[in-house]
């Protein structure tokens, strides 16, 4: 489904600000894989997502999705089959447009109807209402309201729906619950698990929460210095604790994980 081969990226090469952001990254995801990614700030997690989404062209390597080489494909063309959510609830929606208008834009873009004469039908609106109702937030009764009136959690739930309204080949979740309060974050995570499972969406999710990294999906990746240093799945993953995962990371990376935010997330009992 997704293949990254020797993907590398250096920002500001040859200057005092040179930064090797990705270094020989190799990754293969099968269709339906749900992999969580954890690592310190600067480990390369969001840069990896930017490479996959087409925010820049990598210096080395290739990126293939569903048999198509997308290494040099512009980001706006990738957005038709790659869904993405960010940490900031304000990033995924247009606040002055209504819920229905936001859904319509996402639907037309992902379905390939980019003509200025494209229109949303009554059946499309019925689909929007049905999918909104499935969120359990009452948004199906507020379709004519501006998105700017929604809470952060409601906006993230709406963004999740927009990213999956037309089932994407790949869904990228970049700490999409980190800015929410714990109760709201749990609700959005439950919606995420439900939607991803129902549509068998291939998914990569960055998280700072060590327990979520082991509990969600079927694979756990750990990054350090622009590299994937751990890729754990199957029975090996199911028997891991946060403590043993950190031990494995230290052995593979050659140093302990140094990120208070991530480490503090591992102090709670699952």
């Amino acid at each position: 489904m997704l293949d990254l081969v020797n993907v590398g990226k250096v920002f500001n090469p040859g200057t005092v600000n040179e930064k090797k952001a990705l270094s020989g990254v190799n990754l293969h995801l099968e269709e339906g894989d749900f992999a969580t990614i954890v690592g310190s700030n600067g480990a390369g997690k969001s840069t990896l997502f930017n490479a996959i989404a087409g925010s820049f062209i990598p210096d080395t390597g290739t990126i293939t999705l569903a048999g198509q080489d997308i290494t040099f494909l512009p980001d706006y063309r990738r957005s038709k089959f790659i869904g993405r959510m960010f940490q900031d609830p304000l990033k995924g929606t247009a606040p002055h447009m209504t819920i229905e208008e936001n859904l319509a834009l996402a639907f037309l873009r992902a379905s390939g109807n980019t003509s200025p004469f494209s229109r949303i039908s009554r059946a499309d609106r019925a689909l929007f209402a049905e999918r909104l109702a499935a969120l359990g937030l009452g948004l199906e009764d507020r379709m004519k309201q501006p998105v700017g009136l929604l809470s952060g959690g409601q906006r993230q739930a709406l963004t999740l729906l927009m990213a999956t309204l037309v089932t994407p080949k790949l869904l990228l979740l970049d700490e999409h619950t980190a800015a929410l309060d714990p109760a709201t974050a749990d609700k959005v995570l439950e919606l995420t698990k439900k939607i991803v499972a129902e549509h068998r969406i291939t998914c990569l999710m960055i998280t700072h929460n060590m327990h979520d990294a082991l509990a969600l999906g079927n694979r756990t990746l750990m990054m350090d210095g622009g590299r994937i240093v751990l890729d754990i799945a199957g029975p090996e993953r199911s028997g891991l604790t946060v403590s043993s995962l950190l031990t494995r990371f230290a052995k593979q990376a050659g140093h302990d994980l140094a990120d208070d935010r991530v480490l503090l997330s591992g102090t709670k009992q699952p």
Side-chain angles (χ1 to χ4, degrees), residues 173-229:
L173 305 174
D174 193 346
E175 292 198 78
H176 68 305
T177 64
L180 307 177
D181 65 83
T184 305
D186 288 344
K187 175 68 173 176
V188 173
L189 273 181
E190 286 301 315
L191 289 172
T192 302
K193 289 191 292 183
K194 177 184 175 183
I195 290 174
V196 168
E198 282 181 354
H199 300 280
R200 282 192 51 79
I201 300 172
T202 306
C203 182
L204 281 168
M205 187 184 88
I206 296 172
T207 179
H208 68 274
N209 188 296
M210 296 292 288
H211 295 294
D212 288 345
L214 288 173
L216 297 173
N218 65 316
R219 289 172 67 180
T220 297
L221 311 177
M222 291 195 76
M223 293 191 68
D224 180 67
R227 301 175 297 126
I228 296 174
V229 296

Side-chain angles (χ1 to χ4, degrees), residues 89-182:
L90 303 181
K91 273 194 173 182
T93 53
H96 300 298
M97 298 177 68
T98 67
I99 292 174
E100 182 181 291
E101 289 168 340
N102 273 269
L103 287 169
L105 282 177
F107 181 74
L108 291 173
R109 181 188 69 242
S111 59
N113 295 319
T114 55
S115 164
F117 301 104
S118 298
R119 293 290 184 271
I120 294 298
S121 68
R122 182 176 298 178
D124 294 333
R125 291 188 177 88
L127 172 66
F128 298 166
E130 178 185 340
R131 296 290 295 274
L132 283 169
L135 298 179
L137 300 174
L139 297 182
E140 68 276 12
D141 299 320
R142 303 173 61 183
M143 289 178 61
K144 299 298 183 181
Q145 289 189 4
V147 167
L149 298 179
L150 302 182
S151 68
Q154 290 171 328
R155 287 181 74 154
Q156 283 297 68
L158 177 62
T159 303
L160 175 63
L161 178 54
M162 290 168 61
T164 57
L165 194 58
V166 176
T167 303
K169 294 179 181 177
L170 178 68
L171 179 62
L172 303 176
L173 305 174
D174 193 346
E175 292 198 78
H176 68 305
T177 64
L180 307 177
D181 65 83

Side-chain angles (χ1 to χ4, degrees), residues 1-7 25-31 48 51-54 58 60-73 78 81-82 169-170 172 202 204:
M1 166 53 76
L2 175 69
D3 283 287
L4 279 71
V5 179
N6 193 36
V7 172
V25 174
N26 294 292
L27 174 65
H28 172 73
L29 290 185
E30 296 285 354
E31 186 172 358
L48 175 65
I52 295 170
T60 62
T62 59
I63 302 172
T64 306
L65 182 62
Q68 178 185 2
D69 187 340
I70 63 171
T71 310
F72 300 100
L73 198 68
R78 298 190 204 191
F81 47 82
I82 296 178
K169 294 179 181 177
L170 178 68
L172 303 176
T202 306
L204 281 168

Side-chain angles (χ1 to χ4, degrees), residues 40-63:
S40 301
N41 287 335
K45 305 182 298 298
S46 291
T47 307
L48 175 65
F49 274 20
N50 287 337
I52 295 170
S55 299
F56 59 78
I57 296 173
D59 299 327
T60 62
T62 59
I63 302 172

